[in-house]
Amino acid sequence: MPAQQGEPRHPAARATPGVPEGLARFNAVAASVAEEILLSCCHSRRWAERVTAHRPYPTLDALLAAADEAGYDLPAAERVEALAAEDSAAPHPDAPPAAHTALRAAHAAYESRFGHAFVISLDGVRPGERLDQVLEGIRSRLGNEPEEERVIAAEELRRLARARLAHRVGAAPSPVQASGMR
């Protein structure tokens, strides 16, 4: 995460003892670069700006707590924007054709009912169980009322952003999965 040419570096650019290297780099990059990193985790400009504004973070936990807080405070219009930017991911290329068909149909039904991609955090789910987890999640959530699903989707979006951010700063203990199968 190097600073872009001509942009000032954040005052945290100096190495800080005890701060993981990825977090130190995140703290040190220019605000515009930090916001782009954050936008790759959650497509809300307001969320990215808010998390960026509170740098430097002394620990990964502090960064993730700030990301959570900003996610909880995200206004409805910003959540809609962030959800609209999510993709419904396909299963692993080695999955059987029937799995691709089932997942496409399930995603289409969900998107038709709720107007946005299905989001689910699969952090901690083993690769071999992801397809089943996504299909079960879609099936169970299709029965939700729109308001109930908005709450669940917002929580899943927050969890996705948190997992992606932990991964981006190099401290994720497991692969980050977004919207299903990535």
Side-chain angles (χ1 to χ4, degrees):
M1 291 182 244
Q4 291 182 346
Q5 190 75 318
E7 290 198 54
R9 293 170 59 91
H10 191 277
R14 300 177 297 284
T16 306
V19 175
E21 185 179 328
L23 179 59
R25 283 193 311 269
F26 176 77
N27 283 335
V29 297
S32 63
V33 175
E35 286 176 15
E36 288 305 313
I37 292 165
L38 290 162
L39 285 169
S40 74
C41 300
C42 178
H43 303 281
S44 165
R45 177 78 46 197
R46 179 179 293 188
W47 178 84
E49 289 171 350
R50 183 169 172 191
V51 175
T52 298
H54 294 285
R55 293 180 311 147
Y57 292 98
T59 65
L60 178 62
D61 286 342
L63 170 61
L64 297 177
D68 281 346
E69 183 179 333
Y72 288 130
D73 293 344
L74 211 55
E78 293 281 332
R79 276 194 311 272
V80 167
E81 179 184 332
L83 284 169
E86 292 292 330
D87 292 326
S88 295
H92 190 277
D94 296 338
H100 289 269
T101 301
L103 195 57
R104 269 194 310 275
H107 278 301
Y110 181 91
E111 290 173 17
S112 174
R113 174 144 168 77
F114 298 112
H116 58 80
F118 176 76
V119 291
I120 187 169
S121 175
L122 296 175
D123 197 34
V125 175
R126 289 183 286 189
E129 297 173 357
R130 291 180 183 141
L131 176 61
D132 290 338
Q133 188 78 22
V134 171
L135 286 171
E136 173 55 32
I138 292 172
R139 286 185 195 118
S140 69
R141 288 169 53 187
L142 272 171
N144 292 342
E145 292 299 318
E147 183 55 36
E148 178 184 16
E149 184 55 25
R150 275 192 284 280
V151 171
I152 293 169
E155 176 62 15
E156 289 297 319
L157 183 66
R158 185 197 60 75
R159 291 178 63 214
L160 274 172
R162 178 186 177 88
R164 289 170 176 164
L165 183 55
H167 181 71
R168 297 291 189 281
V169 297
S174 61
V176 175
Q177 299 299 314
S179 301
M181 309 307 293
R182 284 195 261 196

